[in-house]
Every structure is written in structure tokens, then in C-alpha cells.
Amino acid sequence: MKYDTQMRLASNLKRLRVSYGFSQANLAERLQIDRSLYALYESGKRCPDPELLYDVACIFGIRMEMLLESDPEIIASQADCFNPCSEEDLRLLSIYRRLSPFSKGALLERAEYLELSDRMRTEQRKALRTCKQSK
């Protein structure tokens, strides 16, 4: 990553954290990393991996690309437009990250099956309501 981009990211991480009232320790705990590592991200001495950037974006309720935005007003305006990840979402992501590649694949297949099952049940309920209403 280019130095200026890395420094912009570092600045935006700090700006978001402070504006939401988190300490570095609070945010690091939510991200399940050490506070000193998070401090390196905010200082621009290290660059977080994409998964961690995704987690940060979820916590603050913004799209990932907003973390690289040069205009602080745009970041602030976007923060309210997206729903942040719930604690349950973050917990699920944390568990997923600890799985082996095989288990990740199996979990994704199962999740797709469950999503399809939910859609089918929803469609069946709609069809039953429509049928009852037409009688």
C-alpha cells in the first residue's frame, strides 16, 4: 500500500474511533486484537488486513472503501447510512475466521442451504396467505 494511502487509512481509523467514543482498548477488544497492534494501525506503522478492515467497517456502519476516503465529512455522512454489524454478526465472523479451509467451505454450503430453505418457507407462507385470501 502506498504511504499516503496508509496514512489516510490510519487517520480515518483514529477519526472514526474518536467520533464514536471508543478507546483504542475498546475497539481492539471488539476486533479481538491486542491494543498495541491497533495502535500501530492508527499510527500508520502497520496496515490491517482486509478482514480486519471489514470488521472495522461493520463496527462503524460504513462501506470498506470509506476507510480510504480523503474527505472526513464524507466518512461522517456515510456512517449513519449503513447498519453496523451486530454483536452476533461479529461473533459469527470471529468463529468463521478460526475454522479450517475445509470447515469454512462446509459452513458456506450449509449457510446457502439454510438461506434457500428460509426463502422456500417464506414463499410457502405467502402462497398459503394468498390461497386463504382468495377463498
Side-chain angles (χ1 to χ4, degrees), residues 39-120:
L40 291 173
Y41 297 150
E42 271 193 16
S43 68
K45 294 179 181 168
R46 284 198 59 180
C47 189
D49 64 35
E51 288 182 57
L52 189 104
L53 290 177
Y54 175 79
D55 292 347
V56 168
C58 283
I59 289 169
F60 293 125
I62 61 173
R63 294 188 315 256
M64 281 179 62
E65 63 265 23
M66 288 293 113
L67 295 171
L68 301 174
E69 179 58 51
S70 57
D71 184 352
E73 294 302 316
I74 292 176
I75 297 169
S77 68
Q78 290 295 309
D80 293 329
C81 295
F82 297 91
N83 293 327
C85 289
S86 67
E87 291 296 322
E88 191 174 62
D89 293 338
L90 293 173
R91 186 171 149 241
L92 184 60
L93 181 60
S94 174
I95 292 168
Y96 177 80
R97 288 173 132 186
R98 293 189 304 262
L99 295 175
S100 68
F102 175 81
S103 294
K104 286 178 180 178
L107 179 59
L108 289 173
E109 286 177 7
R110 180 70 178 152
E112 288 169 350
Y113 170 79
L114 290 170
E115 178 189 29
L116 179 62
S117 296
D118 283 348
R119 272 190 279 147
M120 289 174 59

